[in-house]
Amino acid sequence: MFDALIHRTLSGGIPLMLLFAGIVAGYLALKFTPREEEPQIVVPVISVLVTAPGLGAAQVERQVTTPLEKLLAQIQGVEHIYSISRTSSAEVTLRFFVGENRENALLNTYNKLHSNRDQIPQIVSAWDVKPREVDDIPIVLLGLWSKDASRYSDYELRRVADEIATFLKR
């Protein structure tokens, strides 16, 4: 009995009418909904690149990256801080709140670094401040490592990473 009712309902004109109404409603929604091709969302992002020659990654993190993160976290408008420590270098990336003025964010970062030069460790030989765009921030990261360090060195893993990056850019 129930099967016959379902069969009669689905074979009638109601499903066809609902399908047609859904297509028309979708078309009207697409036609009349305001949209912008590339919305101008301002999210200031600034990277501070630090060179500390002669230090291992763990030392760079302890002596340079962590103090720098604490210093830069004091800047008004910073939402998130991301960092990476490598052998002899570090990168600390500041992401500001949506809508923050890009020029003010850059100026505040320069001011904070230059007014606290005495807190920057002596081992730091150079540092650069670079503004980034949202499109410059990677959305996918791939990490390569070797369980057996004697089999694949850091140099060999770097070469593999460069080949993968070249392939993906095609």
Side-chain angles (χ1 to χ4, degrees):
M1 171 98 178
F2 186 69
D3 291 338
L5 180 65
I6 290 176
H7 179 63
R8 219 175 322 130
T9 304
L10 291 178
S11 62
I14 294 175
L16 191 58
M17 186 178 68
L18 288 175
L19 176 66
F20 180 71
I23 291 173
V24 169
Y27 174 76
L28 291 173
L30 283 173
K31 186 77 174 163
F32 295 111
T33 301
R35 60 187 175 278
E36 188 175 332
E37 189 91 13
E38 292 184 28
Q40 301 301 314
I41 300 171
V42 178
V43 182
V45 178
I46 298 171
S47 289
V48 179
L49 308 165
V50 180
T51 304
L55 293 182
Q59 290 175 308
V60 169
E61 181 180 3
R62 187 176 59 254
Q63 294 179 10
V64 178
T65 307
T66 302
L68 189 57
E69 285 177 345
K70 290 178 182 177
L71 178 68
L72 296 174
Q74 299 170 10
I75 298 172
Q76 185 177 3
V78 172
E79 183 177 16
H80 293 288
I81 297 178
Y82 309 96
S83 63
I84 183 167
S85 299
R86 299 181 198 101
T87 302
S88 300
S89 68
E91 180 175 351
V92 178
T93 303
L94 307 173
R95 191 180 85 198
F96 290 81
F97 287 104
V98 174
E100 285 285 326
N101 185 298
R102 183 174 291 143
E103 289 79 18
N104 287 345
L106 189 58
L107 182 64
N108 290 341
T109 303
Y110 273 113
N111 284 342
K112 182 57 87 172
L113 287 171
H114 284 288
S115 64
N116 292 288
R117 291 183 100 174
D118 59 325
Q119 294 182 22
I120 297 174
Q122 295 277 337
I123 193 72
V124 172
S125 65
W127 47 276
D128 292 321
V129 178
K130 294 188 176 193
R132 304 279 188 197
E133 296 296 323
V134 174
D135 296 337
D136 295 337
I137 308 299
I139 57 171
V140 176
L141 296 175
L142 175 65
L144 300 176
W145 74 95
S146 174
K147 289 183 181 178
D148 184 9
S150 63
R151 187 168 180 195
Y152 297 107
S153 68
D154 289 343
Y155 175 74
E156 292 169 321
L157 289 174
R158 176 60 187 235
R159 288 188 62 201
V160 171
D162 288 340
E163 288 179 23
I164 291 171
T166 302
F167 175 76
L168 291 175
K169 287 180 182 176
R170 292 184 196 167

Short mmCIF file of all heavy atoms in Angstrom, two decimals, residues 20-33:
data_model
loop_
_atom_site.label_atom_id
_atom_site.label_comp_id
_atom_site.label_asym_id
_atom_site.label_seq_id
_atom_site.Cartn_x
_atom_site.Cartn_y
_atom_site.Cartn_z
N PHE A 20 11.48 22.03 -11.73
CA PHE A 20 11.41 23.24 -12.54
C PHE A 20 11.44 24.49 -11.64
O PHE A 20 12.15 25.45 -11.91
CB PHE A 20 10.15 23.24 -13.41
CG PHE A 20 10.02 24.46 -14.27
CD1 PHE A 20 10.86 24.66 -15.35
CD2 PHE A 20 9.06 25.42 -13.97
CE1 PHE A 20 10.75 25.79 -16.14
CE2 PHE A 20 8.94 26.56 -14.74
CZ PHE A 20 9.79 26.75 -15.83
N ALA A 21 10.69 24.48 -10.53
CA ALA A 21 10.67 25.61 -9.60
C ALA A 21 12.05 25.82 -8.98
O ALA A 21 12.49 26.96 -8.80
CB ALA A 21 9.62 25.40 -8.52
N GLY A 22 12.76 24.75 -8.66
CA GLY A 22 14.11 24.86 -8.09
C GLY A 22 15.10 25.46 -9.06
O GLY A 22 15.93 26.30 -8.70
N ILE A 23 15.00 25.07 -10.33
CA ILE A 23 15.89 25.62 -11.35
C ILE A 23 15.61 27.11 -11.55
O ILE A 23 16.54 27.93 -11.63
CB ILE A 23 15.75 24.84 -12.67
CG1 ILE A 23 16.34 23.44 -12.50
CG2 ILE A 23 16.44 25.56 -13.83
CD1 ILE A 23 16.11 22.51 -13.66
N VAL A 24 14.35 27.49 -11.62
CA VAL A 24 13.99 28.90 -11.79
C VAL A 24 14.45 29.72 -10.58
O VAL A 24 15.02 30.81 -10.73
CB VAL A 24 12.48 29.06 -12.04
CG1 VAL A 24 12.05 30.52 -11.97
CG2 VAL A 24 12.10 28.46 -13.39
N ALA A 25 14.23 29.22 -9.37
CA ALA A 25 14.64 29.94 -8.16
C ALA A 25 16.16 30.09 -8.11
O ALA A 25 16.68 31.15 -7.75
CB ALA A 25 14.14 29.21 -6.91
N GLY A 26 16.90 29.06 -8.50
CA GLY A 26 18.35 29.14 -8.54
C GLY A 26 18.85 30.16 -9.54
O GLY A 26 19.77 30.93 -9.26
N TYR A 27 18.23 30.18 -10.71
CA TYR A 27 18.61 31.16 -11.74
C TYR A 27 18.34 32.58 -11.25
O TYR A 27 19.18 33.46 -11.41
CB TYR A 27 17.85 30.89 -13.04
CG TYR A 27 18.09 31.95 -14.07
CD1 TYR A 27 19.28 31.98 -14.79
CD2 TYR A 27 17.15 32.95 -14.31
CE1 TYR A 27 19.52 32.98 -15.72
CE2 TYR A 27 17.38 33.94 -15.24
CZ TYR A 27 18.57 33.96 -15.94
OH TYR A 27 18.81 34.94 -16.86
N LEU A 28 17.18 32.80 -10.65
CA LEU A 28 16.85 34.14 -10.15
C LEU A 28 17.81 34.56 -9.02
O LEU A 28 18.20 35.73 -8.95
CB LEU A 28 15.40 34.19 -9.67
CG LEU A 28 14.33 34.08 -10.77
CD1 LEU A 28 12.94 33.97 -10.16
CD2 LEU A 28 14.43 35.25 -11.73
N ALA A 29 18.17 33.62 -8.16
CA ALA A 29 19.11 33.93 -7.08
C ALA A 29 20.46 34.34 -7.64
O ALA A 29 21.09 35.30 -7.18
CB ALA A 29 19.25 32.74 -6.14
N LEU A 30 20.95 33.62 -8.65
CA LEU A 30 22.22 33.97 -9.27
C LEU A 30 22.16 35.31 -9.99
O LEU A 30 23.10 36.09 -9.99
CB LEU A 30 22.65 32.88 -10.26
CG LEU A 30 23.23 31.62 -9.65
CD1 LEU A 30 23.46 30.56 -10.72
CD2 LEU A 30 24.52 31.92 -8.92
N LYS A 31 21.03 35.56 -10.63
CA LYS A 31 20.88 36.77 -11.43
C LYS A 31 20.81 38.03 -10.56
O LYS A 31 21.40 39.05 -10.91
CB LYS A 31 19.61 36.64 -12.28
CG LYS A 31 19.39 37.74 -13.25
CD LYS A 31 20.29 37.57 -14.45
CE LYS A 31 19.92 38.63 -15.48
NZ LYS A 31 20.95 38.78 -16.45
N PHE A 32 20.12 37.98 -9.43
CA PHE A 32 19.85 39.18 -8.66
C PHE A 32 20.66 39.33 -7.38
O PHE A 32 20.54 40.34 -6.69
CB PHE A 32 18.35 39.27 -8.35
CG PHE A 32 17.52 39.45 -9.58
CD1 PHE A 32 16.69 38.43 -10.04
CD2 PHE A 32 17.58 40.63 -10.31
CE1 PHE A 32 15.94 38.58 -11.18
CE2 PHE A 32 16.83 40.79 -11.46
CZ PHE A 32 16.01 39.77 -11.91
N THR A 33 21.47 38.36 -7.03
CA THR A 33 22.30 38.48 -5.83
C THR A 33 23.52 39.33 -6.16
O THR A 33 24.27 39.00 -7.09
CB THR A 33 22.77 37.09 -5.34
OG1 THR A 33 21.61 36.30 -5.05
CG2 THR A 33 23.63 37.22 -4.09
#
